[in-house]
Amino acid sequence: MAAAVEAEAQAASRRDQVRDALMRDREAARYNADRAFRQYDAIDPQNRLVAAELELRWNRALIPKALRADSLGVPASTDP
């Protein structure tokens, strides 16, 4: 009986560790997407080549953010 309780406690601990890692990954993706947006937003619209590159980086940063949100079962659009 004690072994079953210990096994359940270890399983719960592993689940918590995985959830925490996913939350850290999600926060990193959010930071990267926000940073890419700020860079894109700060560029002079007349500088189309730089703006196009920054827009591409911003779009690339949004993909992992959405994927990480999906892995947690939370839509990316509900991020604060």
Side-chain angles (χ1 to χ4, degrees), residues 13-25 72:
S13 175
R14 283 191 300 270
R15 280 192 305 267
D16 290 344
Q17 289 173 351
V18 168
R19 188 191 71 240
D20 291 345
L22 288 172
M23 293 297 285
R24 284 190 302 272
D25 287 349
L72 292 173

Side-chain angles (χ1 to χ4, degrees), residues 3-79:
V5 171
E6 179 65 26
E8 177 57 34
Q10 289 177 357
S13 175
R14 283 191 300 270
R15 280 192 305 267
D16 290 344
Q17 289 173 351
V18 168
R19 188 191 71 240
D20 291 345
L22 288 172
M23 293 297 285
R24 284 190 302 272
D25 287 349
R26 183 179 182 195
E27 184 61 31
R30 180 183 305 146
Y31 171 81
N32 288 333
D34 290 346
R35 182 173 177 262
F37 170 74
R38 287 191 308 272
Q39 288 177 329
Y40 174 75
D41 196 43
I43 193 66
D44 180 8
Q46 297 300 318
N47 194 343
R48 295 187 188 277
L49 291 176
V50 173
E53 174 63 25
L54 291 175
E55 183 177 15
L56 180 64
R57 289 181 190 179
W58 178 26
N59 288 331
R60 286 181 183 158
L62 290 174
I63 293 169
K65 180 179 175 181
L67 293 176
R68 287 187 180 98
D70 288 345
S71 70
L72 292 173
V74 177
S77 62
T78 63
D79 289 344

